[in-house]
Amino acid sequence: MSVRDLFMIDMTFICVCICAGNETFEKLGTVGSLTNLVVYLTTVFNMKGVTATTFLNVFSGTTNLAPLLGAYLTDTYFGRYKTLGFASISSFVVIPCFFITRLLNYSGKKRKGKDVVQQ
């Protein structure tokens, strides 16, 4: 083996470690967020605990399986660049809409004598 081959093996190992670490911390963040969302749905939206947990299980399953459908549609029908363009444009349109609807929804509401924004 030459020095170049050893260097490539080392770089491959480093890249694999970085990807595995990224996926691990992403999964930990997702699990932590889901438990906080259960508390949010039960306190703010007054859902029952079972209903909130079921809702988040369906949401989690959908978000884990949606990339498979997206990959199939991209490979068979749309192509790489059209899919990336559509995803980028929809993300730039949808995220501000979420922010605006949240501001409009909580601007004048009060809950238990306190402003929701102050909590």
Side-chain angles (χ1 to χ4, degrees), residues 48-62:
K48 293 181 180 176
V50 174
T51 307
T53 305
T54 304
F55 176 76
L56 288 176
N57 281 334
V58 170
F59 174 76
S60 179
T62 303

Side-chain angles (χ1 to χ4, degrees), residues 33-60:
S33 297
L34 288 177
T35 55
N36 288 335
L37 278 172
V38 169
V39 173
Y40 181 76
L41 289 175
T42 55
T43 56
V44 175
F45 287 107
N46 297 324
M47 282 183 162
K48 293 181 180 176
V50 174
T51 307
T53 305
T54 304
F55 176 76
L56 288 176
N57 281 334
V58 170
F59 174 76
S60 179

Side-chain angles (χ1 to χ4, degrees), residues 53-114:
T53 305
T54 304
F55 176 76
L56 288 176
N57 281 334
V58 170
F59 174 76
S60 179
T62 303
T63 56
N64 285 329
L65 290 177
L68 295 175
L69 177 65
Y72 174 74
L73 292 175
T74 298
D75 288 342
T76 55
Y77 298 110
F78 303 127
R80 177 182 353 174
Y81 298 111
K82 287 181 185 175
T83 304
L84 284 174
F86 175 75
S88 298
I89 290 170
S90 64
S91 141
F92 283 127
V93 169
V94 169
I95 290 174
C97 289
F98 283 154
F99 181 71
I100 290 169
T101 55
R102 188 202 181 286
L103 287 177
L104 293 175
N105 191 20
Y106 288 124
S107 61
K109 286 188 177 181
K110 291 188 179 232
R111 187 171 64 99
K112 296 180 184 176
K114 299 177 184 176

Side-chain angles (χ1 to χ4, degrees), residues 5-19:
D5 292 337
L6 288 174
F7 179 73
M8 289 304 292
I9 291 172
D10 287 343
M11 289 306 293
T12 304
F13 180 71
I14 289 171
C15 289
V16 167
C17 289
I18 289 172
C19 289

